[in-house]
Amino acid sequence: MYSIIVVPPPTTEDERDRTRPQFRLAPGERLAFGRAVPEGGLLIGHDGVSRRAGEITAHGTFWTLSNLSSRQTYVVENPEGAGEHIKVAPGRLDAPVPFEFSRIVLPAAGDLLPVEVWAPRHDYLRDEAGADGEPTAPAFSVDRTKRYFAVLAALCEPRLRGTPHAPLPTMDQVVERLRPAWPAASRTSVQWNIDYLAVKLRLKPGPETAEPGPRLNGKKESLVSLALRFDLVREDDLVVLAAPSERPLR
């Protein structure tokens, strides 16, 4: 059974008919790509792409990328990761890529050509019933029904909507975004929840601590960075920002 799917860059013809061929690779199979590749490879007809630009290798639950270019660094983006990416240097072989949905960005004489790679297969450890001992405490405990979580979701929303480097919303913008679900939201109440989140997510010591700790500059940026890095807020969590009557039934 195949484990990854590779979708080539669009061409003018592809954009008209909205269809693009797909390469399906089983674990252990390889796909060469470039301007001049053997039959069965991914041909990219652009003068700015190396004749043998790279190679994709499928594994069970992930894939690797070899950059066969002598000059160009390739970037592999996670379209769902709010700016998450890895760089594969020229000549690097078999760099592992952990993203489920990926976009290889090939710099090509002023153009940026995207090659999409999907790795939908996942294996998970089964939680055996009746395990001995106390359960492990969660790293971050958040309640998605609380107002502090709605504040965190509003802060994260611009970057979750596909703009990874978007500036964070201002306090007034957060208040306005929260109004459908929380009509009484105000600058003061939002700031209180931001301060609470900084303590709850252990960016600042709690009030019971004797030491006040250093002043936390960029509090909103720190909260958003932490939340997105550890998936505390995902795109489907943005439903908490909608008015109750507008929320989809679960």
Side-chain angles (χ1 to χ4, degrees):
M1 179 181 178
Y2 66 87
S3 65
I4 70 168
I5 302 170
V6 181
V7 182
T11 65
T12 302
E13 182 179 352
D14 291 331
E15 289 172 348
R16 282 201 302 269
D17 62 20
R18 299 297 180 183
T19 61
R20 282 187 274 170
Q22 297 180 355
F23 296 83
R24 296 170 181 256
L25 306 183
E29 292 184 335
R30 296 173 178 266
L31 176 68
F33 62 88
R35 196 172 80 252
V37 293
E39 184 178 355
L42 169 52
L43 180 65
I44 303 177
H46 192 294
D47 291 341
V49 176
S50 299
R51 294 173 61 83
R52 294 180 67 245
E55 190 173 70
I56 294 168
T57 304
H59 293 270
T61 57
F62 69 101
W63 56 281
T64 61
L65 173 64
S66 293
N67 182 352
L68 304 182
S69 166
S70 60
R71 297 181 180 179
Q72 298 290 354
T73 294
Y74 299 158
V75 174
V76 183
E77 300 175 338
N78 176 7
E80 298 187 322
E84 186 179 19
H85 69 278
I86 61 174
K87 295 190 288 186
V88 182
R92 171 72 191 275
L93 300 178
D94 293 323
V97 180
F99 311 140
E100 179 177 357
F101 301 105
S102 307
R103 181 186 298 119
I104 306 172
V105 181
L106 305 176
D111 294 325
L112 296 176
L113 305 180
V115 177
E116 297 176 4
V117 182
W118 308 335
R121 173 179 163 180
H122 292 133
D123 293 339
Y124 292 98
L125 176 68
R126 291 187 177 182
D127 187 11
E128 297 295 338
D132 295 333
E134 294 295 324
T136 303
F140 303 102
S141 178
V142 294
D143 185 340
R144 285 168 167 74
T145 67
K146 301 297 184 183
R147 284 176 176 168
Y148 69 75
F149 185 79
V151 171
L152 185 59
L155 290 172
C156 295
E157 182 178 30
R159 297 182 184 180
L160 284 171
R161 294 293 191 192
T163 312
H165 305 294
L168 297 184
T170 65
M171 195 67 70
D172 288 336
Q173 288 173 329
V174 172
V175 170
E176 190 63 27
R177 187 66 183 92
L178 292 168
R179 284 277 163 76
W182 182 12
S186 66
R187 288 174 58 92
T188 301
S189 58
V190 168
Q191 185 60 59
W192 185 93
N193 278 277
I194 289 174
D195 292 338
Y196 176 77
L197 280 164
V199 173
K200 184 173 183 62
L201 299 182
R202 297 190 288 281
L203 295 175
K204 288 187 65 176
E208 72 282 356
T209 305
E211 294 294 331
R215 178 179 176 82
L216 181 62
N217 295 317
K219 192 180 304 181
K220 293 192 297 182
E221 183 70 45
S222 297
L223 285 170
V224 170
S225 177
L226 180 72
L228 296 180
R229 184 180 304 137
F230 291 101
D231 284 340
L232 302 185
V233 182
R234 299 183 176 90
E235 189 170 359
D236 55 2
D237 290 319
L238 298 180
V239 68
V240 301
L241 301 175
S245 60
E246 299 173 351
R247 297 179 188 175
L249 296 177
R250 293 182 180 273

